[in-house]
Amino acid sequence: MKKRVEKISLNLIFLKKLKDRLISTYNKPCLFLDIDGTLSDFQLDPTESYIPTKTLNILGKIISKQIPVVAVTGRDIDSARKLFESLNLPIAALHGLEIYLGNEKELHTPKNFSEISNIYKILAQACISYPSLLIENKKSSIALHYRKAPELQDIAKKIILESQKIFPNLKLIQGKFVYELLPAQANKGFAIKEVLAHLNQYEVYTPIFIGDDVTDEDGFYFVNQVEDGISIKVGQGLTHAKYQLQDTKQVHDFLELFLEHIQNYDNNIKGNNNLDGEKTCLN
């Protein structure tokens, strides 16, 4: 059941909980982050989205502390990479259909589904009378955006449902001002599980997943099944997530505090090691 969630107070109370978990286990945290509506503000045109430089800088510093940061997004791999500029981080794109670990290493790539090109033609014909509707062909899935004309939601739904009747093997998901048809195996929860399993071959990590949309609920659900997993929803509404942040600004503030906590944790470990060394020398 979805439920109302606990708002995170950005006064280190939440990070104290995280600190207690880190102390009680040897697990490192691993950040799984949605992009649109989480790291970047929602734009009427998806191509105009961007991640603020200050957020990119914080992510870079977190990565430099050997904390994995993984993007989990409905975007295709190329548009997602552009948003992260010089950061070479793992990306689970197309809701997990396409997973890259960085440096071109891939867990798996999506198949090109012949249905998608056929659906594109059908949607293009159906949308002639509705130029405000945006069709996004992701090769392995296809999305119909009505963000420029929210009043066309019912029309967009009717159009996409007609296409699904022709290709019932594709599932329909609804996000913020968008309907998308994609293969059944596309699932952010499965994507997080797959990346986490790969990372856990080398060290045990605790997942923290932050997302804002209905399409992130599969990710929240999976993370909640992992011991000490932390799920965070951005924005209002019923959700599987255990915690809530208000907007992308609070996500930035959370990441800033998270980095500060990691730095303090590292310094404490180094300090304890130095003290042990001094005791050894004194003895």
Side-chain angles (χ1 to χ4, degrees):
M1 280 291 290
K2 295 184 180 180
K3 57 181 179 60
R4 296 204 175 274
V5 292
E6 173 185 339
K7 290 186 178 180
I8 297 175
S9 175
L10 293 174
N11 59 4
L12 293 180
I13 292 177
F14 176 71
L15 290 180
K16 182 180 183 302
K17 295 180 181 179
L18 180 58
K19 176 182 176 182
D20 293 340
R21 290 181 180 181
L22 288 173
I23 291 174
S24 63
T25 70
Y26 293 101
N27 299 2
K28 281 186 177 181
C30 176
L31 286 175
F32 290 90
L33 305 172
D34 174 50
I35 300 178
D36 296 276
T38 299
L39 295 177
S40 65
D41 283 326
F42 188 80
Q43 303 291 339
L44 288 180
D45 186 343
T47 63
E48 295 179 357
S49 295
Y50 67 94
I51 301 174
T53 301
K54 60 182 181 179
T55 301
L56 291 171
N57 290 339
I58 290 174
L59 292 177
K61 291 176 181 178
I62 291 173
I63 292 170
S64 72
K65 296 295 180 182
Q66 308 304 310
I67 302 298
V69 176
V70 183
V72 185
T73 176
R75 285 178 174 267
D76 63 82
I77 191 69
D78 292 330
S79 67
R81 278 177 171 164
K82 288 178 182 177
L83 289 173
F84 287 104
E85 298 180 359
S86 59
L87 291 180
N88 184 31
L89 74 172
I91 298 176
L94 298 175
H95 307 282
L97 287 177
E98 188 173 12
I99 301 178
Y100 285 85
L101 299 176
N103 295 320
E104 304 302 322
K105 183 178 180 182
E106 58 195 45
L107 278 181
H108 60 72
T109 54
K111 299 176 182 177
N112 287 323
F113 294 88
S114 58
E115 298 100 324
I116 300 302
S117 59
N118 292 329
I119 293 174
Y120 181 84
K121 294 175 184 177
I122 295 171
L123 292 182
Q125 182 65 32
C127 291
I128 289 176
S129 301
Y130 308 99
S132 296
L133 295 178
L134 172 65
I135 307 169
E136 184 180 8
N137 187 348
K138 303 180 184 180
K139 307 304 180 185
S140 295
S141 70
I142 194 159
L144 183 60
H145 299 268
Y146 55 93
R147 58 177 70 190
K148 288 186 177 181
E151 69 276 8
L152 294 180
Q153 178 180 357
D154 290 341
I155 297 294
K157 185 176 182 180
K158 181 180 178 181
I159 290 173
I160 203 83
L161 283 174
E162 289 299 320
S163 297
Q164 189 187 28
K165 288 179 183 178
I166 303 173
F167 302 99
N169 57 314
L170 298 177
K171 70 176 181 179
L172 175 64
I173 61 173
Q174 181 180 7
K176 287 184 177 177
F177 302 102
V178 63
Y179 290 104
E180 186 168 356
L181 286 173
L182 67 174
Q185 62 265 39
N187 182 299
K188 288 190 177 183
F190 294 164
I192 294 173
K193 181 178 181 179
E194 188 167 356
V195 174
L196 192 63
H198 174 80
L199 293 174
N200 284 351
Q201 294 179 67
Y202 311 101
E203 190 166 1
V204 179
Y205 290 94
T206 294
I208 300 171
F209 177 46
I210 308 178
D212 72 300
D213 207 345
V214 176
T215 57
D216 297 310
E217 290 299 325
D218 290 328
F220 297 146
Y221 183 80
F222 168 73
V223 167
N224 290 344
Q225 312 308 310
V226 180
E227 185 176 0
D228 291 332
I230 296 172
S231 54
I232 304 172
K233 177 180 171 63
V234 182
Q236 304 297 317
L238 297 177
T239 179
H240 290 297
K242 295 179 180 177
Y243 301 97
Q244 179 186 24
L245 291 168
Q246 291 181 5
D247 49 31
T248 57
K249 182 183 181 302
Q250 279 207 348
V251 173
H252 169 269
D253 293 341
F254 169 80
L255 293 173
E256 202 168 48
L257 288 171
F258 179 82
L259 173 62
E260 182 181 325
H261 165 69
I262 294 299
Q263 290 172 332
N264 291 339
Y265 183 76
D266 285 348
N267 290 337
N268 288 337
I269 294 297
K270 290 176 182 177
N272 290 337
N273 288 342
N274 289 337
L275 285 175
D276 290 340
E278 288 177 9
K279 288 179 181 178
T280 301
C281 292
L282 289 172
N283 289 336

